[in-house]
Amino acid sequence: MRLLHTSDWHLGRSFHRVGMLGAQAEFIGHLVATVREREVDAVVVSGDVYDRAVPPLAAVELFDDALHRLAGLGVPTVMISGNHDSARRLGVGAGLMGRAGIHLRTEPSACGTPVVLSDGHGDVAFYGLPYLEPALVKDEFAVEKAGHEPVLAAAMDRVRADLATRAPGTRSVVLAHAFVTGGQPSDSERDITVGGVAAVPAGVFDGVDYVALGHLHGCQTLTERVRYSGSPLPYSFSEAAHRKSMWLVDLAADGAVTAERVDCPVPRPLARIRGTLEELLADPALARHTEAWVEATLTDPVRPADPMARLTERFPHTLSLVFDPARAADDPAVSYARRLAGRDDQQIAEDFVAHVRGAGPDPHERAVLRDAFDAVRADDAVREVAR
């Protein structure tokens, strides 16, 4: 069976104030053409279909168009909700859509109930694990402590239990939206840390033939059977080195996996350039970036006059301007933002306690801070779904 694995469409999202809907529509056209030309048997979409719980109307219309075009090809599609989606909204009409071959899996309680498709070698069971917010689903999975690993492990126990009841030789595919250990994140993914931990080990998914992951925006192979497709478009300059693609996966009769990357259309290349303003304006080696979306980091010791206007004369698609003057680390003029770079909320709070009190928090206090951040993030998730 030939699968096309994609994820993280983020329909409705912009890139540094540049609307991406046209590029997203071009990607959908490319997806449909790939399904037709490469004789794909099933499409899997591993979450974050939309960029937010209540997407703009234009994004909903594009999603509707994608579903109609896929259904028109007669190729089944299995899709889960991600942490950016409202599972309830995405799942509206799932029963009716299923009759047209569009299988939406947004309910945590249905993790162990697969979509079963068949080819000349027998059945393939597709298990959809939507994004499982630990604080919201721990009771459903009867886990003592809210955390990504225990919740996903419990969901996979249901998958393996159902698979054990099926005919020998039944192949299996799991769709999941999670941060799996070994994956490389980028700046455009929303933080899903719980209890100081965001990642789960790949071993959680043992026992199935292929795991189609979503959440991280870079295309990645964790093992031959566990892969991220990544987002089809860039959503931050941290993705400048990404090759945006989908996985074309052939699942053999014995469950063996072979995979090929299918490149996605590039609306415009990304470039990150760094130096003084005069260097950036004069360096001939940077001429290749004149048509790229540019993030320019200026290292001038004093902020120059009209830097954006001057940069856009040479690089008309400059979208981001960062000031990072070359100074010693102990220079009092080093900005607060630079001191915080790379530090998460927990670390910033602990540093604040140490600054005010003269000593950092003890283990109990660190746990209190962690629980507070987890509670706020979980509350935000509940509020977003309820909107």
Side-chain angles (χ1 to χ4, degrees):
M1 183 172 287
R2 174 164 285 184
L3 317 176
L4 188 63
H5 167 200
T6 178
S7 72
D8 295 274
W9 295 356
H10 289 279
L11 299 181
R13 187 164 183 161
S14 297
F15 181 77
H16 288 267
R17 303 176 305 283
V18 173
M20 296 290 278
L21 203 65
Q24 290 170 339
E26 186 177 357
F27 160 69
I28 295 298
H30 171 69
L31 170 72
V32 172
T34 301
V35 170
R36 182 177 57 251
E37 294 165 7
R38 302 299 299 269
E39 299 181 336
V40 170
D41 298 307
V43 177
V44 295
V45 185
S46 299
D48 280 354
V49 174
Y50 293 121
D51 189 55
R52 56 181 186 265
V54 185
L57 179 58
V60 178
E61 290 173 340
L62 180 55
F63 178 60
D64 181 63
D65 176 64
L67 296 190
H68 276 85
R69 294 170 73 179
L70 288 169
L73 292 176
V75 175
T77 297
V78 185
M79 183 178 295
I80 62 172
S81 50
N83 61 300
H84 280 249
D85 300 308
S86 165
R88 289 185 179 180
R89 285 187 174 84
L90 189 64
V92 168
L96 288 173
M97 291 182 193
R99 298 179 188 179
I102 306 294
H103 304 280
L104 296 174
R105 289 295 184 263
T106 62
E107 291 292 335
S109 59
C111 286
T113 304
V115 176
V116 180
L117 305 177
S118 300
D119 63 8
H121 303 291
D123 289 344
V124 180
F126 291 78
Y127 297 90
L129 279 56
Y131 173 66
L132 302 174
E133 173 59 50
L136 304 183
V137 302
K138 70 182 187 70
D139 292 338
E140 165 66 32
F141 292 103
V143 298
E144 292 184 5
K145 186 175 181 180
H148 290 293
E149 183 173 353
V151 164
L152 268 172
M156 282 301 301
D157 284 344
R158 293 187 184 184
V159 168
R160 285 184 283 264
D162 178 85
L163 194 56
T165 69
R166 301 195 173 269
T170 298
R171 289 157 290 165
S172 54
V173 175
V174 165
L175 291 74
H177 196 86
F179 187 172
V180 178
T181 302
Q184 295 298 313
S186 59
D187 293 343
S188 52
E189 299 120 6
R190 183 179 294 169
D191 181 28
I192 59 171
T193 301
V194 175
V197 178
V200 300
V204 164
F205 299 104
D206 285 351
V208 297
D209 293 309
Y210 184 71
V211 182
L213 293 173
H215 180 57
L216 299 185
H217 288 182
C219 183
Q220 301 170 61
T221 300
L222 303 187
T223 73
E224 284 304 304
R225 297 185 183 276
V226 182
R227 299 170 187 260
Y228 282 100
S229 65
S231 62
L233 293 165
Y235 293 114
S236 73
F237 276 102
S238 66
E239 300 169 53
H242 286 188
R243 174 187 162 196
K244 295 301 183 182
S245 57
M246 304 176 285
W247 283 114
L248 191 68
V249 177
D250 285 317
L251 194 60
D254 62 356
V257 170
T258 56
E260 172 191 347
R261 289 180 73 175
V262 178
D263 290 329
C264 294
V266 178
R268 194 176 293 279
L270 306 186
R272 303 179 102 171
I273 59 178
R274 181 184 179 90
T276 67
L277 179 59
E278 295 305 326
E279 289 170 345
L280 299 185
L281 294 177
D283 188 350
L286 299 180
R288 67 186 188 277
H289 299 314
T290 54
E291 294 303 315
W293 280 322
V294 169
E295 178 185 73
T297 299
L298 299 184
T299 59
D300 302 76
V302 177
R303 185 175 301 208
D306 300 321
M308 181 61 89
R310 295 173 66 188
L311 278 168
T312 53
E313 288 180 5
R314 186 181 190 195
F315 307 105
H317 305 288
T318 302
L319 299 181
S320 176
L321 188 57
V322 179
F323 293 96
D324 187 20
R327 294 191 176 111
D330 58 354
D331 190 320
V334 172
S335 71
Y336 182 63
R338 284 185 65 191
R339 295 200 302 273
L340 297 185
R343 305 183 71 75
D344 61 28
D345 291 340
Q346 176 86 15
Q347 293 169 320
I348 292 168
E350 291 183 14
D351 287 349
F352 176 76
V353 172
H355 173 73
V356 171
R357 198 171 62 185
D362 61 31
H364 172 71
E365 291 169 331
R366 279 196 292 271
V368 170
L369 285 170
R370 186 164 51 246
D371 290 345
F373 282 120
D374 288 348
V376 170
R377 192 185 49 77
D379 184 62
D380 285 345
V382 171
R383 289 174 182 272
E384 188 163 355
V385 169
R387 287 174 59 195

